[in-house]
Amino acid sequence: MKMIENLPKTYNPKDFEERIYKFWNEERYFEANVNKEKEPFTIMMPPPNVTGNLHMGHALNNTIQDILIRWKRMEGYEALWLPGTDHASISTEAKVVEKLKKEGKSKEELGREKFLEAAWDWTREYGGNINNQLRKLGISCDWSKERFTLDEGLSNAVEEVFIRLYEKGLIYRGDRIINWCPNCKTAISDAEVDHEDSHGHFWHIKYPIKNSDDFIIIATTRPETMLGDLAIAVHPEDERYTNLIGKYAILPLVNREIPIVADEYVDMKFGTGAVKITPSHDPNDFEVGYRHNLGQCKIMNDDATINENGGKYEGLDRYEARERIVEDLDKEGYLLKIEDHENSVGHCERCKTVVEPIISKQWFVKMEPLAKPALEAYRNGELDFIPERFGKIYSHWLENIRDWCISRQLWWGHRLPVYYCRDCNEIMVSKEAPEKCSKCNSTNIYQDEDTLDTWFSSALWPFSTLGWPENTEELEYFYPTNVLVTGYDIIFFWIVRMVFSGIEQMGEVPFKDVFLTGLVRDEQGRKMSKSLGNGIDPLDVIDEYGADALRFTLITGNSPGNDMRFYMERVEANRNFANKLWNATRFVLMNLDENIISEKLNLENLEEEDRWILSRMNNVTKEITENLSKYEIGIAGQKLYDFIWDEYCDWYIEMVKPRLYGDNEESNKVAQKVLLIVLKDILKLLHPFMPFITEEIWSHLPENNEVLIVSSWPVYDEKYNFKESEERIIYIMKAIKGIRNARAEMNIAPSRKSKIIFVTKDEKVKSILEYGERYFINLAYAQDIEIEEDKEKIGDDNIQVVIDRAEIFLPLKDLIDFEKELERLEKEKDKLEGELKRVRGKLSNKGFVNKAPENIVEAERQKEVKYSDMMDKVLERIKYVKENM
C-alpha cells in the first residue's frame, strides 16, 4: 500500500496562513473580469476611512462579504468584490492639522496647496494600513481594482454628478440653518450629528410688552441665543395671547423691539405657549422667520464666540456668554425661574463638540425629487433589507428628509466645481476653470473655497468605481451590484444616498439586497471603545488563534442586524474545532491507500453507515446552500460545525475504524473512498468560512487538480438521498447515546463490557438492532446483544434505558464489582457523616446562629439539606449492593 504525505502533527495557522494568502494573490484567484459566459456577482466593499485601523466591526463586515464572494466564486459566478478606501475629509484633515501643530505649523500658514501636499503625504504613509490588515483576515477582494475616493476617475464622477444635478436645478446655494461644528469649523450634515441625553435647564425670562406694564414669559434652553431674537411667536388660537398679536415686546438686555406674531408652529400645551424666534440659530425659527419676513441676526462667529451683533457680550465664548447673560437677567429682574430639564444635545460625530445650529450660506441638494424614487424602489420590492425591519427606518428617513447640506469648510476633499465672478457675482459651475465670466466677460474669477461632504463621493461608489461616467464594459457587466453588507448605523449616511444616486444617474438601484450587521460588543454587552479600554484588536486574536478561528467566531455568534457579544472563550473553542478537523484529516490520510483514489465509488458496495454519512452530507449541502442564499450565515456555520464535529468526526470515523483495520479488503476500500469523498465536500462547504485551514488540508489530499478557492461548490444529488439508512443509523446512534449516558451516570469505566438486552415487539426496530450489533460492540462497550419481545425473563438487577419503541437493559453483574463498589460507598458515607457532624455542630451553636450574618447561616442550613439528601442516596445504594452481593 502506497502511503500519502500527511499533514504536520500540530495544527499551527502561522505555518501556512501568510503563505496561502500570498499564493492566492499572486495567482490572481481574487480577480474578476468581464466574462459573457458567466453570470456576474458583485459586492462593493464599504470603503473604510483612509485614517482607520482594523477593528472588530470591520472584521465582522468583511468576513461576511468574503464568505458570500467565495461561495459565489465556487458556484461558478464571475465574482467581483471591489475594495477601496474613503478620503474621509473631516477626519483626515483633523489628523493632518494635528500633525502640523506638533511640528509648530498651521494649516493657514502653509496655504491650501502646501496643506494638500501634506495631506497626500500623510495619506500615502498611513492610508494602506487597514487594507494590509484586512489581508491577514483572508479577504479575497480584487485588489487590482482597488479604488480611493480621491482617485482621478472618481473625482471626475463627482464633478459630473454635481454639474448634472445643478443643471437640473437640484443643487442650489442658499442661506439655511445648518449644523456647525465650532471645533472642526465646518458645516456637518444631520447624519453626522450624534444626539446625547444631557442634563440642562429651562430659563424662564420675562419679555416686557412695549408701552405696557405687562410682560410675556419665554422659556429657553439656550439663553445666549436671545441676543439674536427677532420675534415672539404664539399660536393664533391661543386665547391667552390673542390680544398681544401684532404688538411689540422689548428684548431684555438688548432693548430691541421685536414683534409678537401668530404662527401655527407653536405648541400651545408646551411650556408657556410663547416661543422666542431666533431665525439665524434654530431650523424651526428659520422657517417661522421666513414666513413672517423677519430677516436674520447671526450672533456667533465660526468658533462659537459672540460676534459684533452681541453688544457688550462680543468676544465671549457661547457658554461664558450664557453665564453672563443669566447673571444680568437676574440682576435686572427679567429672570423668573430656572427649571431642570433633560434634553437631547447634538454633538459632532468626530470631535464630540456640541454643534451649533446656525445660519450659513451653503450648497444644498434638493432632496424631495431624489427621495421619492428611492422610496418607491423599496416599496416596489426592487430593494430588500436583511433583516426586513430596517426597511421602516429607511422609509421613515426618506419620508422626512430635509435638503442635504453638501458644502464643507475644509481643504481636503473634492473642491466644489463652482466659480464666481468678482465683478458681477455670476455663479459658474464647470469642471474646468472658465477663462472669463459667462455674463460680463470679466476675467476676475475665483473658485469656491469649500469642498464637498465626504458622503457625496461615496454615494457614487457602486458605479464610479466601475468607470462611470464612461460607459465601460465593467460598468455594463457588473452593475447593478448584488448585495451591500454594512452596519445598520449608516443607513442614513450612505445607503439612502447610494440608492437615490444610483437611480438618478444609472436609472436603477445600485444593489438588490442590503445585509445589515450589528455592532460587536464586549462580553458585558458594552460598545468597544478606547475610553472603556475594552477593545479587542482583531490582529492580536489572529496572531494567537489564527484568522479562521476569529472568522468563525464572528459569524456563528451573529445574526443579521443584531449586536453580538465577543467572547475569547469562543475563539478558543473554534480553534479547537479547526484542530479537530486537522486531526481527523490526519487520521484519514494515515489510512488512505493511494491506489484506490482513482477507483469509482460503487453504490452497491456501500454499508449502512456509508449511506448514512453520504445522505447526511447531501442534505447538509442543500441546507447550507439554502441558508447562504437567505443570508443566514450564522445558521449555516453552526450546521457545518455540528456535522463536522459530531457526525463525521465523532460518529462516522469511529464507525468505520474496524473496517479500516479489518481483513475485508472491499469494505476497507469503500470506507476509505467515502471518508475522502465526504472530507472533500466538507472542505468545500467550510472554505468560505475558514479559508486557510481548508486550502491547506486540500493541498495534501491526493489527485486534486485544482486549488480549493476555485473548486466547484457541492450540489445536492438525489442518488445520495438514503433516507432509510439515515433513519436506521440515527436510531442506532440514539440507542448508543442512551447506553453511554447511563454508564456515565454510574461512573462505569469503558473497559467494563456488558451484555446489552433490547426489548421490543417492533419488527422494524428488531431488524435495525440486529444490523447494528457491531456498532454496539464497538461504540457501546457491548460483549454481545440479545433482542427479546418482553422483559419477564430479564430480572431486576439491570440498568434500564428507554428509547423510542424499545427498552435497553444492562446487567449490573457485568458492570459493577460489588465488593469495590461497597468499599467506595462506605468511604463516601464516612465523608458525608463528617460533613453533617460539622454543619450540625455549627447550627446547634446558638452563638453562631444569633451572631453570624443571615446569609452565612442560611448557607449552612442549605448544606445540611444537601448532605442529608446525599447520605440518603448513598445508604440506599449500600443496601442495594449488599442485597446483590
Side-chain angles (χ1 to χ4, degrees):
M1 177 166 109
K2 188 180 175 188
M3 297 306 294
I4 290 158
E5 183 191 349
N6 212 329
L7 293 168
K9 282 186 179 179
T10 309
Y11 163 62
N12 183 3
K14 286 181 182 175
D15 291 344
F16 55 82
E17 287 193 348
E18 195 173 323
R19 164 174 51 82
I20 286 175
Y21 194 84
K22 189 180 176 191
F23 164 73
W24 285 329
N25 208 17
E26 287 176 353
E27 294 297 318
R28 301 166 74 171
Y29 290 120
F30 303 159
E31 292 183 20
N33 297 296
V34 175
N35 182 349
K36 296 293 168 67
E37 293 177 10
K38 284 186 176 185
E39 192 178 334
F41 183 88
T42 316
I43 300 177
M44 293 293 175
M45 179 188 291
N49 286 355
V50 74
T51 59
N53 279 309
L54 186 68
H55 59 64
M56 278 300 175
H58 291 128
L60 167 64
N61 194 288
N62 283 282
T63 296
I64 289 168
Q65 291 174 82
D66 194 45
I67 287 168
L68 294 171
I69 214 76
R70 285 178 184 271
W71 164 51
K72 286 296 180 181
R73 191 184 288 125
M74 292 173 79
E75 279 203 321
Y77 288 82
E78 191 67 20
L80 170 65
W81 182 17
L82 193 146
T85 44
D86 190 280
H87 65 279
S89 54
I90 295 179
S91 301
T92 305
E93 182 147 325
K95 297 260 185 186
V96 178
V97 167
E98 189 183 333
K99 181 175 180 283
L100 291 171
K101 194 176 177 183
K102 287 176 184 172
E103 295 168 3
K105 302 172 191 171
S106 77
K107 169 181 162 180
E108 290 71 25
E109 282 167 11
L110 278 185
R112 188 172 196 131
E113 198 174 317
K114 292 285 184 189
F115 176 79
L116 290 176
E117 281 177 24
W120 275 110
D121 288 344
W122 192 94
T123 299
R124 280 187 279 270
E125 188 175 348
Y126 299 103
N129 276 5
I130 198 162
N131 285 352
N132 291 331
Q133 292 164 347
L134 283 170
R135 285 170 163 84
K136 291 189 181 296
L137 193 63
I139 66 166
S140 60
C141 57
D142 186 347
W143 293 110
S144 71
K145 295 182 178 62
E146 185 180 355
R147 297 289 181 266
F148 178 49
T149 47
L150 281 178
D151 283 350
E152 190 179 332
L154 274 68
S155 297
N156 179 42
V158 166
E159 290 179 344
E160 182 73 23
V161 168
F162 188 96
I163 291 166
R164 288 187 183 193
L165 294 177
Y166 180 77
E167 288 174 351
K168 281 184 78 171
L170 294 176
I171 284 183
Y172 65 92
R173 190 182 189 218
D175 291 311
R176 293 285 185 277
I177 295 288
I178 49 92
N179 304 297
W180 183 264
C181 175
N183 182 51
C184 297
K185 292 189 178 61
T186 181
I188 57 175
S189 70
D190 291 344
E192 293 166 304
V193 176
D194 287 337
H195 290 276
E196 297 174 14
D197 291 337
S198 174
H199 175 68
H201 299 93
F202 256 140
W203 284 270
H204 291 253
I205 304 164
K206 296 192 290 187
Y207 282 54
I209 307 298
K210 183 184 175 185
N211 300 328
S212 161
D213 293 333
D214 290 341
F215 53 83
I216 192 166
I217 298 168
I218 303 296
T220 179
T221 58
R222 297 159 68 211
E224 66 279 10
T225 62
M226 68 181 289
L227 300 172
D229 286 358
L230 294 179
I232 289 171
V234 295
H235 196 279
E237 294 173 11
D238 193 334
E239 293 178 359
R240 292 173 293 178
Y241 302 119
T242 47
N243 64 318
L244 294 178
I245 295 168
K247 293 186 177 180
Y248 285 83
I250 306 297
L251 181 60
L253 307 180
V254 179
N255 293 323
R256 185 168 66 236
E257 292 182 13
I258 56 174
I260 298 168
V261 300
D263 198 286
E264 289 185 352
Y265 153 71
V266 181
D267 182 354
M268 290 189 283
K269 294 175 184 173
F270 184 75
T272 64
V275 293
K276 61 196 267 322
I277 302 299
T278 320
S280 300
H281 294 274
D282 183 276
N284 295 312
D285 292 6
F286 177 87
E287 299 297 335
V288 176
Y290 181 77
R291 284 195 288 274
H292 296 274
N293 296 312
L294 296 176
Q296 296 293 330
C297 181
K298 186 177 172 184
I299 54 104
M300 278 190 204
N301 298 309
D302 287 353
D303 60 356
T305 55
I306 305 300
N307 66 15
E308 67 277 5
N309 291 328
K312 67 176 183 177
Y313 305 104
E314 183 181 356
L316 297 178
D317 171 77
R318 55 182 163 168
Y319 297 123
E320 197 180 345
R322 177 182 293 180
E323 285 182 30
R324 290 272 294 276
I325 286 166
V326 169
E327 281 175 20
D328 291 347
L329 286 169
D330 190 28
K331 200 184 298 177
E332 296 187 28
Y334 294 117
L335 186 63
L336 191 65
K337 62 175 176 174
I338 303 172
E339 283 181 330
D340 287 341
H341 175 64
E342 300 298 320
N343 62 342
S344 183
V345 176
H347 292 72
C348 173
E349 182 208 29
R350 288 171 181 84
C351 71
K352 309 306 175 192
T353 303
V354 174
V355 298
E356 197 63 47
I358 209 162
I359 190 153
S360 181
K361 195 175 283 297
Q362 301 285 347
W363 285 88
F364 295 86
V365 174
K366 203 176 283 183
M367 283 310 306
E368 194 178 348
L370 296 169
K372 195 175 177 185
L375 198 52
E376 283 172 5
Y378 170 66
R379 289 172 176 165
N380 296 340
E382 295 168 50
L383 190 66
D384 287 324
F385 284 88
I386 299 106
E388 202 177 309
R389 67 178 185 272
F390 285 101
K392 290 176 186 171
I393 297 171
Y394 172 88
S395 297
H396 183 263
W397 180 258
L398 283 170
E399 286 161 357
N400 297 280
I401 202 158
R402 288 166 52 187
D403 286 357
W404 173 19
C405 175
I406 54 170
S407 46
R408 297 290 180 269
Q409 290 63 54
L410 301 166
W411 287 352
W412 175 247
H414 294 99
R415 193 167 178 181
L416 271 67
V418 177
Y419 299 85
Y420 305 98
C421 174
R422 286 194 176 92
D423 293 332
C424 73
N425 297 321
E426 178 69 359
I427 297 174
M428 291 156 282
V429 172
S430 165
K431 286 186 186 179
E432 304 296 331
E435 289 181 12
K436 58 184 181 178
C437 174
S438 57
K439 186 177 180 183
C440 74
N441 290 328
S442 167
T443 56
N444 193 6
I445 290 166
Y446 68 99
Q447 186 176 358
D448 198 306
E449 289 286 317
D450 288 355
T451 53
L452 284 160
D453 177 12
T454 300
W455 299 101
F456 192 92
S457 52
S458 54
L460 319 181
W461 188 250
F463 52 91
S464 64
T465 50
L466 295 170
W468 189 91
E470 301 300 319
N471 190 22
T472 64
E473 272 193 303
E474 286 80 8
L475 185 63
E476 191 182 329
Y477 182 69
F478 288 113
Y479 187 93
T481 69
N482 294 80
V483 58
L484 173 76
V485 181
T486 190
Y488 63 63
D489 51 340
I490 57 170
I491 289 178
F492 327 120
F493 288 103
W494 194 40
I495 298 170
V496 165
R497 288 165 182 168
M498 278 193 289
V499 174
F500 72 65
S501 299
I503 294 170
E504 174 68 18
Q505 307 304 334
M506 296 293 298
E508 55 188 326
V509 292
F511 28 73
K512 175 73 179 82
D513 297 326
V514 180
F515 181 113
L516 292 159
T517 63
L519 301 176
V520 183
R521 299 183 176 273
D522 71 4
E523 290 183 15
Q524 298 173 44
R526 300 174 303 173
K527 192 172 178 178
M528 291 186 183
S529 68
K530 284 180 185 172
S531 58
L532 288 173
N534 63 341
I536 298 170
D537 188 337
L539 297 176
D540 291 343
V541 179
I542 290 169
D543 188 56
E544 189 171 354
Y545 296 101
D548 288 327
L550 173 62
R551 288 168 63 112
F552 209 71
T553 301
L554 287 168
I555 63 99
T556 50
N558 189 271
S559 59
N562 292 326
D563 293 351
M564 67 168 287
R565 295 190 183 194
F566 189 86
Y567 299 91
M568 287 306 297
E569 292 81 3
R570 290 190 58 247
V571 184
E572 200 167 335
N574 286 318
R575 190 193 186 284
N576 293 342
F577 169 58
N579 196 54
K580 179 95 170 175
L581 178 62
W582 186 268
N583 289 334
T585 304
R586 278 181 50 77
F587 172 81
V588 172
L589 293 177
M590 209 181 295
N591 289 281
L592 215 53
D593 177 0
E594 200 172 78
N595 297 329
I596 63 102
I597 303 307
S598 55
E599 290 183 21
K600 198 175 177 189
L601 180 68
N602 186 342
L603 298 186
E604 299 299 318
N605 295 336
L606 295 177
E607 301 204 17
E608 201 74 303
E609 70 261 29
D610 303 327
R611 284 188 286 272
W612 162 70
I613 197 69
L614 288 167
S615 191
R616 284 294 301 127
M617 182 78 250
N618 199 32
N619 286 319
V620 164
T621 296
K622 185 181 181 182
E623 288 173 24
I624 284 169
T625 306
E626 286 172 359
N627 290 140
L628 289 175
S629 65
K630 294 177 190 170
Y631 302 104
E632 295 168 347
I633 295 171
I635 294 170
Q638 193 58 54
K639 280 182 184 172
L640 253 179
Y641 179 99
D642 293 341
F643 175 76
I644 294 166
W645 190 297
D646 297 338
E647 297 181 75
Y648 184 70
C649 296
D650 283 357
W651 283 103
Y652 183 68
I653 286 178
E654 293 305 315
M655 283 176 169
V656 298
K657 274 181 180 177
R659 291 163 62 191
L660 295 174
Y661 304 146
D663 299 328
N664 186 330
E665 192 177 333
E666 186 56 43
S667 179
N668 180 304
K669 282 182 180 180
V670 171
Q672 287 185 50
K673 193 73 185 169
V674 173
L675 276 168
L676 186 61
I677 286 169
V678 177
L679 178 59
K680 281 188 171 185
D681 277 357
I682 279 172
L683 294 175
K684 287 181 176 186
L685 292 179
L686 188 60
H687 177 72
F689 301 87
M690 302 179 92
F692 289 113
I693 185 175
T694 50
E695 189 74 83
E696 178 67 3
I697 290 174
W698 184 265
S699 69
H700 282 74
L701 299 188
E703 291 195 4
N704 275 342
N705 299 320
E706 59 184 356
V707 293
L708 183 56
I709 189 174
V710 288
S711 66
S712 58
W713 184 256
V715 290
Y716 178 83
D717 188 339
E718 191 58 43
K719 78 177 179 189
Y720 290 120
N721 186 15
F722 304 115
K723 194 173 180 185
E724 198 173 307
S725 296
E726 276 198 59
E727 288 172 0
R728 287 161 72 85
I729 292 293
I730 287 167
Y731 191 88
I732 290 166
M733 285 162 61
K734 282 180 180 172
I736 291 169
K737 282 178 189 171
I739 294 164
R740 285 176 172 175
N741 289 342
R743 289 173 60 101
E745 284 172 16
M746 299 285 288
N747 293 317
I748 296 164
S751 57
R752 287 200 75 96
K753 310 283 184 187
S754 79
K755 180 191 286 186
I756 299 177
I757 305 163
F758 295 95
V759 176
T760 182
K761 290 179 179 174
D762 189 303
E763 292 303 321
K764 190 176 179 182
V765 170
K766 277 185 195 175
S767 105
I768 293 172
L769 295 172
E770 283 166 3
Y771 179 84
E773 180 174 5
R774 63 193 172 95
Y775 303 123
F776 294 115
I777 287 170
N778 293 327
L779 303 173
Y781 323 107
Q783 286 172 334
D784 55 63
I785 72 163
E786 287 180 14
I787 301 170
E788 305 286 350
E789 287 204 355
D790 60 61
K791 53 187 174 187
E792 287 177 12
K793 305 173 191 172
I794 296 172
D796 296 330
D797 51 344
N798 296 285
I799 298 171
Q800 184 180 2
V801 178
V802 179
I803 59 171
D804 177 36
R805 293 170 290 161
E807 289 176 89
I808 306 170
F809 295 90
L810 310 176
L812 277 169
K813 62 183 174 56
D814 293 349
L815 297 170
I816 297 173
D817 181 328
F818 285 105
E819 285 185 11
K820 281 190 178 175
E821 179 66 359
L822 185 61
E823 188 182 328
R824 184 186 72 78
L825 289 166
E826 290 289 359
K827 283 180 183 173
E828 187 67 21
K829 179 186 152 196
D830 291 345
K831 185 180 168 187
L832 286 167
E833 279 175 347
E835 292 293 347
L836 280 167
K837 185 178 178 183
R838 184 193 62 76
V839 76
R840 282 169 179 161
K842 267 191 170 185
L843 291 172
S844 63
N845 181 342
K846 286 185 181 177
F848 169 75
V849 173
N850 294 332
K851 291 178 184 175
E854 181 56 34
N855 63 320
I856 302 290
V857 176
E858 182 56 30
E860 293 300 317
R861 289 192 184 112
Q862 292 296 327
K863 283 179 190 174
E864 184 188 20
V865 171
K866 181 178 80 171
Y867 294 143
S868 296
D869 184 50
M870 288 169 72
M871 179 63 89
D872 289 343
K873 286 176 181 170
V874 167
L875 292 172
E876 191 179 327
R877 184 86 179 128
I878 287 171
K879 182 184 174 189
Y880 173 81
V881 169
K882 283 180 175 176
E883 285 171 356
N884 287 278
M885 283 180 71

